[in-house]
Amino acid sequence: LKHRYWLRARRALASPTSAMALARALALAVAASTAAGAEVMLEAFGGGGQHMWRQMNDPVMGGKSTGSFHVENGVGVFDGEVVDVPFLKAPGFIKVATEDAKAFRRAFPDISHCKAISINSKSANAYAGFFFSFGTAHPAEGKFFASGYKSTFQPSKGKFTDVEIPFSSFTDYWDDATGQPIKTCSENPKYCPTAKALEDIRTMSVWAEGTAGRVHLEISSVKAVGCSSEEAVHV
């Protein structure tokens, strides 16, 4: 589809030069870009990172998981180990979250015109407990420590790839002991990300949760994709 738009644009430019031909070519070029889907960058670690990130480990019932986060060689390095919380005899969590949103000042652009989150990353092993979350939404029936919209994701092992998470895969009704959804967006639309929440996500987090094991994740970038509005920033 994108190729067809560009081909038609080139043909329009090859026709007799006129304001109408030029306008038509430009319109077709814009259509090609829209067909491909614009992107909004939320974090790129190549320049050291755009946001303040803070590492946190499980504090509940004497959790023993350990983790760290730093930026090195243009990637965010999320490293640690998830182990059982002794009292619960179940794996805890480690996470890293942005914390630069302030009252009356947004830290992220509007992504309500986008369709998904894309994370460019690689894992050193096949650890299967990664989650990504954003925002601060909390339904009335939600678990006490569960805040924001959350979804699992599985990075590639040993090679940087883009992992796309549709907004329809997120829910704000999830278990704060495991990270797993209690009710999904597809099961009940009231748990789907709202346009208001996507206009200002406030914060985003990467988790290793509910699965014991060593964690080493390198993140190159996080962006919103499938964006269609004029507000989208192309990268």
Side-chain angles (χ1 to χ4, degrees), residues 6 18 42 77 91 97 120 177 184:
W6 282 115
S18 67
L42 301 176
V77 181
N120 185 266
T184 66

Side-chain angles (χ1 to χ4, degrees), residues 56 58 78 82 91-97 117 119 127-139 143-154 165-187 190-194 197-198 201 203-211:
M56 290 171 271
D58 48 15
F78 182 39
V82 178
F93 73 87
I94 60 176
K95 78 168 183 174
V96 58
I117 294 292
I119 305 170
Y127 181 79
F130 288 114
F131 294 82
F132 180 85
S133 68
F134 64 86
T136 59
H138 183 83
K143 296 288 187 175
F144 185 80
F145 292 107
S147 176
Y149 295 99
K150 196 169 188 177
S151 176
T152 61
F153 77 99
Q154 188 59 53
I165 316 170
F167 287 137
S168 58
S169 295
F170 287 89
T171 179
D172 62 353
Y173 190 22
W174 48 273
D175 192 336
D176 57 6
T178 65
Q180 295 293 336
I182 298 172
K183 287 286 186 180
T184 66
C185 168
S186 60
E187 290 173 323
K190 83 174 198 174
Y191 302 121
C192 299
T194 64
L198 294 171
I201 65 172
T203 184
M204 58 186 184
S205 304
V206 177
W207 306 64
E209 181 177 17
T211 301

Side-chain angles (χ1 to χ4, degrees), residues 7-90:
L7 184 59
R8 289 169 61 189
R10 289 181 64 186
R11 287 173 179 169
L13 284 171
S15 64
T17 56
S18 67
M20 183 176 295
L22 181 58
R24 182 166 177 261
L26 289 174
L28 288 168
V30 170
S33 179
T34 302
E39 301 172 346
V40 177
M41 186 62 70
L42 301 176
E43 179 62 288
F45 291 105
Q50 304 170 16
H51 299 281
M52 295 172 56
W53 292 82
R54 180 186 176 196
Q55 169 68 40
M56 290 171 271
N57 303 326
D58 48 15
V60 182
M61 301 297 182
K64 302 295 185 181
S65 299
T66 58
S68 64
F69 183 81
H70 67 280
V71 179
E72 180 180 351
N73 297 325
V75 297
V77 181
F78 182 39
D79 188 80
E81 185 173 12
V82 178
V83 300
D84 283 0
V85 176
F87 180 81
L88 300 176
K89 294 183 173 59

Side-chain angles (χ1 to χ4, degrees), residues 113 228-233:
H113 49 283
S228 59
S229 168
E230 294 178 357
E231 298 174 32
V233 177

